[in-house]
C-alpha cells in the first residue's frame, strides 16, 4: 500500500504558549506513523497564523528554520477567523503535494493520538473522515445546551450535519480539489464537507482540558459561526417568515370580522385598550424578528456579491 503524504493543518490565533509543545508532540506522532509505514517521510505540519498579535509567528519561523522540511506555514495580514484559517491551510498546503490533510486545534485539546486511526480509515478508502466528540464534558452548561440546540435546529432545517462533529477531520486531496470549486466567501466547513458526496467515515475522540492559556473561540464567535451555518445551508427561516406573515394576516382578518360584528350587530365597541397595546406590541416584535432574519440573509448576499478575498497572506514559509 502506498504511503500517504500527510499535512497536519494547525490554525493558530495568539497561541504562543503552545506552539513549540504542540509541534514537538505532533512531530513525534508523525515519526511513529512513518516507522509503521502509514505515512510518507515527506509529511509535514502546516501552521496558519490567523493574524496573531503575540509571539506566535516568531515561534513558527524559529521552528521552520530549525526543521524547514517538516514545518511550514503562512501568516494572515489580520484575523480572518478559524474557518478561513483551516481553508487556507488546506488550499496552501495542497500546493506541496499532500495526499491527505488533518486539521486539528493548536492547543491539542482534541486527542492527537487518534491521528493514526484517521490515517487507517483513509487507507481503507474513506475520502473524508470526520472527528466526532464522545461527549461535551469540558463545556460549560450554557455552551453545552447551545451546541445541542444548534445541531437540533440544523437537522430540523434539513441540513445534513452530524451531531458533535468538530473541525478535527481528515480530507483527501480529491476532497480539497472539489472544495476549491466552491467560491463562497463564507464557507461553513462542517456542512460543506457533507455536501461533497465522497465516501465518509468517522473517528470518535475525547476532548481534554486545555493545557495552555484560554480558548480564543469565544461565545460571540461561536454564535457567529452558528448563524453562518444556518444561513449558508437552509432557507427554512425565510419560509418561516412567509408562513408567519400569512398566519398573522389570517388572525388579523378574523379579529377585524369580530370587531365589525360587535359594532354592527351588537352596537357595542370592544373595550380594553390594554389588549390592543399588547397585540400591537406582539405584532411589532414579530415584524422586527422577521426583518432581522431577512437581514441576515441579505448580509450574506452582500458579502458574497462583493467577492472580496477570503483571506490575505502576509508571509509564507
Amino acid at each position: 500500500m502506498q504511503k500517504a503524504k500527510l499535512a497536519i493543518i494547525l490554525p493558530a490565533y495568539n497561541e504562543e504558549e503552545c506552539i513549540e509543545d504542540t509541534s514537538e508532540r505532533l512531530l513525534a506522532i508523525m515519526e511513529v506513523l512513518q516507522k509503521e509505514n502509514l505515512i510518507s517521510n515527506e509529511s509535514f505540519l502546516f501552521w496558519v497564523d490567523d493574524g496573531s498579535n503575540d509571539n506566535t509567528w516568531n515561534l513558527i519561523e524559529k521552528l521552520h528554520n530549525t526543521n524547514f522540511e517538516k514545518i511550514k506555514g503562512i501568516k494572515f495580514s489580520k484575523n480572518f477567523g478559524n474557518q478561513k484559517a483551516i481553508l487556507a491551510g488546506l488550499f496552501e498546503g495542497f500546493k506541496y503535494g499532500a495526499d491527505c490533510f488533518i486539521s486539528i486545534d493548536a492547543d491539542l485539546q482534541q486527542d492527537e493520538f487518534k491521528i493514526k486511526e484517521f490515517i487507517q480509515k483513509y487507507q481503507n478508502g474513506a475520502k473524508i473522515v470526520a472527528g466526532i466528540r464522545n461527549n461535551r464534558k469540558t463545556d460549560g452548561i450554557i455552551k453545552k445546551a447551545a451546541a445541542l440546540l444548534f445541531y437540533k435546529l440544523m437537522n430540523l432545517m434539513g441540513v445534513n450535519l452530524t451531531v458533535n462533529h468538530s473541525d478535527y477531520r481528515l480530507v483527501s486531496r480529491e476532497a480539497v480539489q472539489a472544495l476549491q470549486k466552491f467560491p463562497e466567501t463564507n464557507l461553513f466547513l462542517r456542512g460543506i464537507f457533507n455536501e461533497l458526496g465522497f465516501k465518509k467515515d468517522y473517528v470518535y475522540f475525547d476532548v481534554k482540558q486545555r493545557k495552555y492559556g484560554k480558548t480564543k473561540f469565544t461565545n460571540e464567535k461561536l454564535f457567529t459561526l452558528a448563524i453562518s451555518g444556518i444561513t449558508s445551508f437552509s432557507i427554512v427561516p425565510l419560509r418561516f417568515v412567509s408562513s408567519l406573515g400569512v398566519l398573522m394576516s389570517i388572525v388579523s382578518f378574523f379579529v377585524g370580522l369580530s370587531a365589525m360584528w360587535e359594532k354592527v350587530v351588537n352596537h357595542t365597541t370592544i373595550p380594553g385598550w390594554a389588549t390592543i397595546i399588547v397585540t400591537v406590541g406582539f405584532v411589532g416584535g414579530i415584524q422586527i424578528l422577521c426583518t432581522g432574519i431577512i437581514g441576515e440573509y441579505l448580509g450574506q448576499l452582500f458579502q458574497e456579491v462583493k467577492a472580496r478575498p477570503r483571506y490575505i497572506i502576509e508571509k509564507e514559509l
Side-chain angles (χ1 to χ4, degrees):
M1 181 179 295
Q2 184 179 1
K3 293 181 287 186
K5 183 176 180 180
L6 169 67
I8 298 180
I9 309 300
L10 294 149
Y13 177 64
N14 292 342
E15 296 285 4
E16 61 181 1
E17 302 101 326
C18 67
I19 297 296
E20 294 178 313
D21 182 51
T22 293
S23 296
E24 182 180 343
R25 289 157 67 181
L26 290 177
L27 287 173
I29 289 173
M30 287 172 60
E31 186 176 352
V32 172
L33 295 176
Q34 289 167 14
K35 290 179 179 178
E36 295 178 355
N37 291 320
L38 287 174
I39 63 173
S40 163
N41 57 10
E42 295 179 346
S43 301
F44 58 91
L45 306 182
F46 196 93
W47 284 97
V48 181
D49 182 351
D50 188 15
S52 300
N53 49 34
D54 63 357
N55 204 35
T56 294
W57 180 249
N58 292 331
L59 291 172
I60 294 172
E61 281 188 317
K62 177 184 173 183
L63 291 169
H64 171 75
N65 293 333
T66 303
N67 191 353
F68 67 91
E69 290 185 348
K70 293 293 184 183
I71 297 179
K72 309 180 190 301
I74 55 175
K75 176 178 173 58
F76 283 172
S77 60
K78 70 179 187 71
N79 180 238
F80 284 92
N82 176 265
Q83 296 291 284
K84 306 286 179 64
I86 295 174
L87 194 68
L90 294 173
F91 288 173
E92 300 303 318
F94 183 87
K95 299 174 183 177
Y96 292 94
D99 299 307
C100 57
F101 308 78
I102 293 178
S103 56
I104 187 171
D105 289 348
D107 56 18
L108 294 187
Q109 279 190 273
Q110 298 151 330
D111 186 359
E112 70 273 22
F113 293 103
K114 290 288 185 175
I115 289 176
K116 178 178 180 179
E117 193 172 337
F118 277 96
I119 295 296
Q120 289 173 330
K121 302 273 188 180
Y122 168 74
Q123 298 285 20
N124 289 333
K127 299 300 182 183
I128 299 172
V129 184
I132 310 295
R133 296 177 59 157
N134 285 322
N135 54 62
R136 309 194 73 92
K137 291 181 180 179
T138 57
D139 291 344
I141 295 176
I142 295 177
K143 187 175 180 180
K144 186 185 299 184
L148 293 175
L149 176 62
F150 168 70
Y151 284 111
K152 285 185 179 297
L153 279 175
M154 292 293 280
N155 287 322
L156 283 172
M157 292 178 185
V159 182
N160 181 21
L161 196 63
T162 306
V163 176
N164 287 336
H165 173 29
S166 71
D167 284 318
Y168 186 20
R169 72 173 67 83
L170 177 147
V171 293
S172 66
R173 187 173 182 84
E174 295 91 338
V176 175
Q177 280 181 311
L179 185 64
Q180 290 174 337
K181 297 177 182 179
F182 288 75
E184 293 101 316
T185 299
N186 294 308
L187 279 177
F188 181 62
L189 295 177
R190 297 181 197 184
I192 206 70
F193 280 115
N194 283 331
E195 297 293 313
L196 296 183
F198 293 105
K199 181 180 178 181
K200 288 190 63 178
D201 209 331
Y202 303 92
V203 168
Y204 295 86
F205 67 94
D206 291 318
V207 176
K208 300 171 287 185
Q209 292 292 339
R210 187 178 173 92
K211 188 176 180 181
Y212 301 101
K214 296 181 179 180
T215 180
K216 310 307 184 296
F217 227 143
T218 62
N219 290 331
E220 181 182 353
K221 290 183 178 179
L222 287 170
F223 179 75
T224 301
L225 179 64
I227 294 297
S228 177
I230 291 171
T231 55
S232 295
F233 280 89
S234 177
I235 61 169
V236 169
L238 291 176
R239 289 176 176 166
F240 166 77
V241 169
S242 301
S243 301
L244 195 58
V246 171
L247 178 62
M248 294 304 297
S249 297
I250 294 172
V251 170
S252 299
F253 175 75
F254 282 106
V255 169
L257 287 180
S258 175
M260 290 177 63
W261 178 269
E262 291 292 334
K263 180 68 175 177
V264 175
V265 178
N266 296 332
H267 303 289
T268 61
T269 57
I270 301 176
W273 63 270
T275 303
I276 297 174
I277 294 298
V278 169
T279 303
V280 170
F282 173 74
V283 173
I286 292 294
Q287 289 175 330
I288 293 172
L289 171 65
C290 294
T291 302
I293 292 173
I294 295 170
E296 288 292 337
Y297 281 91
L298 287 176
Q300 287 277 24
L301 286 173
F302 178 64
Q303 293 185 40
E304 296 296 337
V305 168
K306 288 187 295 186
R308 292 179 178 176
R310 288 181 281 200
Y311 53 84
I312 298 173
I313 298 173
E314 180 180 347
K315 296 179 182 179
E316 185 172 1
L317 300 174

